Amino acid sequence: MENSAPTIWEDDDYVYIPEELFRHLPPEYRDAAEARMQQGSDILQNADKDIKSLVRLANAIPTTSSLSYIYHRLRTSKFDMTAAAVMEQEMLTTAFVVTYSRLFVSGNGGSGVSRDQIPAHLQGVHDDILEIRHKRYAHNSGHETIGSGIQIDFDETEVRVSLGMSLGFYVGGRNEWEELIAFLDAHMHERLQKILGRLKAKTGFEWKFPIGPAPDWVGKYR
């Protein structure tokens, strides 16, 4: 099958010209395009540090959205004293703790939020979440909220082994988690505005970040 010839196409904002056709453009068009490309390269180089911060923040925003949804599910899930309901709460609590902890890992995966930025009255709650993640969900380190063991009974003919397990969790999630989520949402928005402001100051261009309406579940935890 022969390769089709390169074509020019456009959308509502731009005209796209394949590299194969670029050299065939009139000199004045090539010069204008190359000047714009150089301008863009200079802007990116000058604003490199803030662009990296913007990318890092953009990677964290979906995590905060997931955290909000998980907490919504925790608060609105019906709880009965059944094995299925217990496992549902355990599953959602695990998802909440692991998702929250992802915001505080080092490297590109983190959000850049530090413990010191969290309101003082919520820092203990933050510490509890990270401890649960480390000792209960990431490693079998014997967190106080979980336990297991066996019971051995025997008589003249057999030995019976029984398994035992205990789970501890906040039904519907801990109340203070809602305030933590609200803080993180506001913090992310504030950081975004600061980064966009610095980019405008450095480049002279208005930087726009797509912001749509909040999902239906945000703020509706009852």
Side-chain angles (χ1 to χ4, degrees):
M1 180 178 179
E2 296 183 359
N3 293 328
S4 59
T7 58
I8 298 174
W9 72 97
E10 61 182 303
D11 56 25
D12 293 338
D13 298 312
Y14 301 103
V15 175
Y16 300 88
I17 302 174
E19 292 184 8
E20 297 90 333
L21 296 181
F22 184 77
R23 67 178 185 273
H24 298 297
L25 292 176
E28 61 270 21
Y29 287 109
R30 293 202 309 272
D31 292 343
E34 289 171 350
R36 178 58 64 88
M37 290 170 59
Q38 185 60 50
Q39 181 187 31
S41 177
D42 293 342
I43 288 174
L44 294 177
Q45 184 174 0
N46 184 45
D48 181 67
K49 182 177 180 180
D50 288 307
I51 292 174
K52 288 179 179 177
S53 296
L54 185 62
V55 171
R56 191 177 185 183
L57 183 63
N59 288 336
I61 287 175
T63 304
T64 60
S65 297
S66 296
L67 195 68
S68 177
Y69 179 72
I70 296 166
Y71 189 67
H72 163 73
R73 285 285 306 276
L74 271 168
R75 299 304 269 188
T76 57
S77 293
K78 183 179 179 181
F79 181 77
D80 298 314
M81 288 304 297
T82 64
V86 169
M87 289 296 101
E88 178 80 4
Q89 290 287 314
E90 172 70 1
M91 175 190 68
L92 291 170
T93 300
T94 303
F96 183 91
V97 168
V98 172
T99 301
Y100 180 88
S101 300
R102 283 170 53 200
L103 293 170
F104 295 89
V105 299
S106 59
N108 293 332
S111 66
V113 184
S114 68
R115 181 184 185 277
D116 293 339
Q117 293 171 313
I118 297 173
H121 69 287
L122 293 175
Q123 289 180 1
V125 181
H126 164 84
D127 293 342
D128 286 343
I129 294 175
L130 295 191
E131 182 181 22
I132 291 172
R133 181 263 176 195
H134 179 67
K135 290 186 176 181
R136 176 168 170 173
Y137 296 120
H139 308 282
N140 289 324
S141 300
H143 192 266
E144 61 183 9
T145 60
I146 189 170
S148 62
I150 63 172
Q151 178 178 326
I152 300 176
D153 299 306
F154 63 92
D155 55 27
E156 291 82 358
T157 61
E158 63 182 8
V159 176
R160 295 179 297 277
V161 179
S162 302
L163 299 178
M165 182 178 67
S166 63
L167 295 174
F169 50 79
Y170 294 94
V171 175
R174 188 170 175 176
N175 293 337
E176 292 87 347
W177 292 354
E178 181 175 346
E179 193 173 352
L180 266 179
I181 293 171
F183 159 74
L184 288 170
D185 285 342
H187 181 77
M188 295 295 180
H189 180 75
E190 181 181 355
R191 283 183 54 201
L192 174 61
Q193 297 308 313
K194 287 182 177 179
I195 293 172
L196 296 179
R198 290 197 301 267
L199 287 168
K200 180 180 179 180
K202 288 183 178 181
T203 66
F205 288 91
E206 192 76 35
W207 287 67
K208 296 182 178 180
F209 192 91
I211 300 178
D216 293 340
W217 68 81
V218 173
K220 298 179 182 178
Y221 305 124
R222 299 292 187 272

